């Protein structure tokens, strides 16, 4: 059974399938396989260039659309109100669905008109294009500003988060405002496999370091969306939900050096803001 994180604003499966950078037939097969294994959360974005393939995987899975939590995102160049609306509508067409369960602003844009973008995001929800809305890659000050404006009913924040990059200020803001926190790159691009601490904890539980990395996030009430095109990898990722880390395990992972950011494009915001 798919474990669920429930906040006052949102019910979201705790483990989802990340689909970047899969394309075409690979993405379709990955979605079909994941849904057959029991996944009920699929994450994509307009920028990924795979929404049609993801939609085909959902359609071919035999799983009812209403049983799947589907997320997509609007790219940072499309945040003017008309452009955001057009992007959302184009995503729905490519995905072959009348709505997504979560529509995100993918990245903030420097100099963006935040109130206008949030108005457009709220309108997308109001008009049924998205059942919930959220933002990705907002640093603490910008997330607080977006929440304080009270324009869009932001239900989720998606950011890079893993055993080498904990985000305490964002976690605190999310918890204080009943936002779900979704972690992308949740296994630090598999760097955990070479970590002696993660290896030791994995051996203790008869698991893999990747599974331990996911289990650590779940223990902290963070949603994880690991990417895997392989059925075996998907099985292992999904099984992480059954691993119960003890206080000693969590303390050892907490003590790992933090601050290793793996995703930092030139258009990224000032993370320290």
């Amino acid at each position: 059974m798919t474990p669920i994180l429930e906040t006052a604003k949102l019910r979201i499966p705790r483990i989802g399938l990340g689909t970047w950078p899969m394309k075409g037939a690979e993405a379709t097969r990955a979605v079909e396989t994941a849904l057959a294994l029991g996944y009920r959360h699929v994450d994509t974005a307009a920028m990924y260039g795979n929404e049609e393939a993801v939609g085909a995987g959902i359609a071919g899975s035999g799983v009812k659309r209403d049983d799947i939590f589907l997320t997509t995102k609007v790219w940072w160049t499309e945040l003017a109100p008309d452009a955001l609306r057009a992007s959302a509508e184009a995503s729905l067409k490519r995905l072959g669905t009348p709505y997504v369960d979560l529509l995100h602003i993918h990245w903030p844009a420097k100099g963006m008109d935040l109130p206008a973008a949030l108005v457009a995001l709220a309108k997308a929800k109001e008009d049924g294009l998205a059942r919930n809305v959220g933002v990705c890659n907002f640093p603490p000050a910008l997330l607080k500003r977006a929440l304080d404006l009270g324009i869009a009913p932001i239900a989720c924040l998606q950011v890079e988060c893993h055993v080498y990059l904990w985000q305490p200020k964002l976690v605190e803001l999310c918890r204080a405002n009943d936002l779900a926190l979704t972690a992308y790159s949740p296994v630090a691009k598999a760097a955990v496999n070479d970590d002696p601490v993660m290896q030791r904890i994995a051996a203790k539980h008869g698991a893999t370091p990747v599974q331990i990395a996911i289990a650590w996030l779940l223990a902290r009430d963070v949603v994880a969306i690991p990417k895997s095109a392989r059925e075996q990898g998907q099985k292992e990722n999904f099984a992480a939900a059954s691993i119960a880390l003890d206080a000693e395990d969590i303390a050892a992972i907490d003590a790992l050096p933090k601050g290793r950011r793996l995703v930092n494009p030139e258009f990224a915001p000032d993370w320290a803001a």
Side-chain angles (χ1 to χ4, degrees):
M1 185 162 179
T2 308
I4 301 293
L5 176 67
E6 189 162 0
T7 72
K9 299 177 180 178
L10 186 68
R11 294 184 79 254
I12 181 170
R14 289 175 178 264
I15 298 180
L17 178 70
T19 63
W20 167 257
M22 295 186 286
K23 297 280 180 71
E26 180 187 45
T28 298
R29 282 194 304 271
V31 171
E32 289 179 339
T33 302
L35 292 173
L37 290 171
Y39 284 72
R40 291 298 179 265
H41 178 179
V42 178
D43 182 277
T44 184
M47 187 279 288
Y48 295 174
N50 66 11
E51 287 176 316
E52 288 183 349
V54 167
I58 290 172
S61 71
V63 178
K64 292 180 181 178
R65 171 65 187 88
D66 282 351
D67 292 337
I68 299 169
F69 191 99
L70 178 60
T71 299
T72 196
K73 312 175 193 79
V74 176
W75 194 234
W76 65 271
T77 58
E78 308 299 316
L79 299 185
D82 289 348
L84 189 152
R85 178 68 175 221
S87 177
E89 290 176 347
S91 286
L92 295 182
K93 185 175 180 180
R94 288 189 292 265
L95 289 162
T97 182
Y99 69 94
V100 289
D101 297 274
L102 182 58
L103 178 67
H104 276 303
I105 290 175
H106 201 156
W107 288 85
K110 292 180 172 120
M112 66 186 286
D113 185 338
L114 180 61
L118 293 175
V119 166
L121 202 61
K123 189 73 163 57
K125 181 179 187 297
E126 180 184 332
D127 292 346
L129 280 65
R131 291 187 170 174
N132 302 278
V133 295
V135 296
C136 305
N137 300 302
F138 274 39
L142 186 60
L143 177 60
K144 186 176 187 308
R145 183 180 168 217
L147 292 168
D148 288 347
L149 285 169
I151 294 170
I154 297 170
C156 185
L157 170 72
Q158 185 178 130
V159 289
E160 181 183 348
C161 189
H162 44 73
V163 300
Y164 307 119
L165 183 67
W166 185 240
Q167 307 245 33
K169 291 181 180 178
L170 288 173
V171 170
E172 182 181 349
L173 271 171
C174 287
R175 290 177 179 167
N177 291 277
D178 289 317
L179 270 63
L181 179 65
T182 298
Y184 70 77
S185 298
V187 301
K189 298 187 177 180
V192 294
N193 285 327
D194 300 321
D195 190 305
V197 172
M198 300 298 289
Q199 291 171 348
R200 175 177 57 77
I201 297 171
K204 172 181 170 181
H205 289 273
T208 68
V210 161
Q211 289 177 310
I212 297 303
I214 295 170
W216 179 76
L217 290 170
L218 300 184
R220 290 180 161 276
D221 287 331
V222 173
V223 176
I225 48 169
K227 171 258 177 184
S228 181
R230 299 179 303 109
E231 181 176 1
Q232 185 59 33
Q234 292 177 356
K235 281 182 181 178
E236 291 176 2
N237 292 343
F238 201 58
S242 65
I243 297 172
L245 300 178
D246 60 32
E248 182 182 359
D249 300 328
I250 291 172
I253 296 171
D254 288 352
L256 289 172
K258 299 295 187 280
R260 188 193 305 181
R261 191 176 295 278
L262 303 175
V263 181
N264 195 22
E266 62 180 14
F267 52 80
D270 176 3
W271 299 113

